[in-house]
Amino acid sequence: MSREIKIPGPDHPIEINENPHLIRVIAQNGGKVIAETTAAVSLSEAGRPPVHYIPLADVDQTLLVRTHSHTYCPYKGEASYYSLITPEKEIADAVWFYEEPHEAVKAIAGHVAFYPQHVQITVAEAVAD
């Protein structure tokens, strides 16, 4: 089955930028830090709020369990999902990623994004060493 691939353009703009800010993802209930990075990329798509994609290496992967869920975006490709395991509960499909994103958005490869209704995401100025 062939899936439609769309290229971002004036009718559906997608912009990806390196994000030098300190981005921290915290479990809503327990306050446990799930991810922390100054190497995120932010994807802005067609007037929606930016999504911060965090390098998987900067995520506490002991809190992630891969699921069998998949969705498809003609602009980005096939998304796969992780459930987030916190001390309080398991949150199904709370994290998504594109293993092989389309060429136009290849900068998000190796990165994951979190649904903001399941975590607290803070963005702060990075502190220089």
Side-chain angles (χ1 to χ4, degrees):
M1 178 174 120
S2 178
R3 290 184 166 171
E4 181 179 17
I5 297 175
K6 293 184 177 180
I7 306 298
D11 61 324
H12 192 99
I14 294 178
E15 187 176 308
I16 300 174
N17 295 298
E18 291 182 8
N19 188 327
H21 293 94
L22 175 63
I23 297 178
R24 185 175 289 135
V25 180
I26 301 168
Q28 281 189 340
N29 297 336
K32 180 171 179 51
V33 175
I34 300 163
E36 189 171 75
T37 191
T38 55
V41 293
S42 295
L43 183 146
S44 298
E45 180 175 4
R48 296 183 184 112
V51 174
H52 304 298
Y53 283 83
I54 297 171
L56 184 57
D58 293 338
V59 177
D60 182 347
Q61 296 175 48
T62 65
L63 303 176
L64 304 178
V65 175
R66 190 161 180 167
T67 72
H68 297 289
S69 298
H70 297 278
T71 57
Y72 184 75
C73 169
Y75 293 97
K76 295 186 288 289
E78 183 173 88
S80 298
Y81 292 82
Y82 289 109
S83 288
L84 182 60
I85 310 300
T86 70
E88 295 78 28
K89 61 183 173 179
E90 177 176 335
I91 307 164
D93 298 334
V95 183
W96 78 92
F97 63 100
Y98 294 88
E99 282 185 289
E100 296 179 16
H102 294 324
E103 185 66 25
V105 296
K106 67 181 178 182
I108 63 173
H111 293 67
V112 300
F114 294 81
Y115 282 107
Q117 66 266 35
H118 299 306
V119 296
Q120 177 186 354
I121 301 171
T122 61
V123 179
E125 290 295 322
V127 178
D129 292 331

